[in-house]
Amino acid sequence: SSSLKKIGDTQYVGMITSTPFFDSKQDVVTVKWRPRSIVNEETMKEIKGEWNFDFILREVKGEVQSVADSTSKDGIKVTINEIRSTDISTVIEYSQKVDRSVSEMWEWVTAELFVMDNLGNEYKVNGNGGHSENEQDFYWSATMGKINEQATSLFFTPEVILSEGSGQGHETLTLDPIEVKLEK
């Protein structure tokens, strides 16, 4: 996902969220980024340029909670696999399993999460993308802000978008919430 905002005549600020998938855990990642243009999504104006960004990202240390709790409905199962909490954000690793009968009816099946804590706080969840080995069962990652320190549990409500693809139509299926007690 990405966002871009003009803050001055020649100044822009933006953010790109991405989840790379590596064969093994990485403590340091070197990034070389050479965009040829940026697009203001509000105006669709393209700004061409020659930019070169080189930077090193070091792992932000935090707490990891393994979960493995799931909910399912109508041939779709969503599992919360892991919650990684740092001082600045929370990353949720989750997966979806789709019965063949569902994938035969729908070209795309995408599970998104809505998250609330036991105090009633709602968290904005930004999807980081995912990967699949068979184009129906996916492993997803999403980022949200830091969890309220007083919260003792999170409620993950999966909303599954079933799409025929190419703008041909879609339906939404909401699964029962998954409650995860936070380890403190």
Side-chain angles (χ1 to χ4, degrees), residues 1-4 14-19 33 35 38 128:
S1 63
S2 64
S3 64
L4 179 69
M15 179 177 73
I16 296 175
T17 305
S18 178
T19 303
W33 184 37
I38 56 175
N128 300 329

Side-chain angles (χ1 to χ4, degrees), residues 21-36:
F21 295 97
F22 301 106
D23 291 335
S24 62
K25 184 179 179 309
Q26 305 293 310
D27 295 328
V28 176
V29 176
T30 301
V31 177
K32 294 180 184 289
W33 184 37
R34 311 286 187 259
R36 295 183 209 152

